[in-house]
Amino acid sequence: MGIDWFAFLTVALVSLVGACFVVTVYSIGLRFWSAADTRAGKYTVKDDGTVGPATDGFPVPGAANPAMRWFRSLSVACFVVSGAAVLYGIYLIVPQFH
């Protein structure tokens, strides 16, 4: 009984690429979510370059501008894609689902 090294390498590479894909798409979703919060006025850049919570009248009524909605929609789409990739991986691993 021998080890099929090509199959082993294929599984290792696919799992590495899949994990990197899920992490990358999820982190892009977080970045879009943060950009939407910044556009909504939740955070301000202070004089020393750090970012902190906005203190002057947040939440602002009517602050939902089109860019904020676009970033929020993109972030939700990234979260859905990463969740679907995880669920598909679980589907492939668990034999009762086939």
Side-chain angles (χ1 to χ4, degrees):
M1 181 158 129
I3 297 175
D4 186 4
W5 289 103
F6 181 71
F8 178 75
L9 183 63
T10 302
V11 169
L13 285 176
V14 167
S15 64
L16 180 67
V17 168
C20 289
F21 173 76
V22 169
V23 169
T24 302
V25 171
Y26 191 82
S27 64
I28 290 171
L30 285 177
R31 177 63 183 105
F32 281 136
W33 192 276
S34 174
D37 284 347
T38 303
R39 298 232 184 221
K42 284 187 179 181
Y43 302 107
T44 57
V45 180
K46 298 180 181 176
D47 292 334
D48 59 355
T50 59
V51 177
T55 56
D56 53 350
F58 183 77
V60 179
N65 56 20
M68 186 195 77
R69 289 183 182 146
W70 177 248
F71 284 139
R72 191 73 58 157
S73 300
L74 285 175
S75 68
V76 170
C78 287
F79 295 149
V80 167
V81 167
S82 64
V86 169
L87 289 176
Y88 183 67
I90 292 172
Y91 168 78
L92 290 177
I93 292 172
V94 179
Q96 284 84 3
F97 293 155
H98 298 201

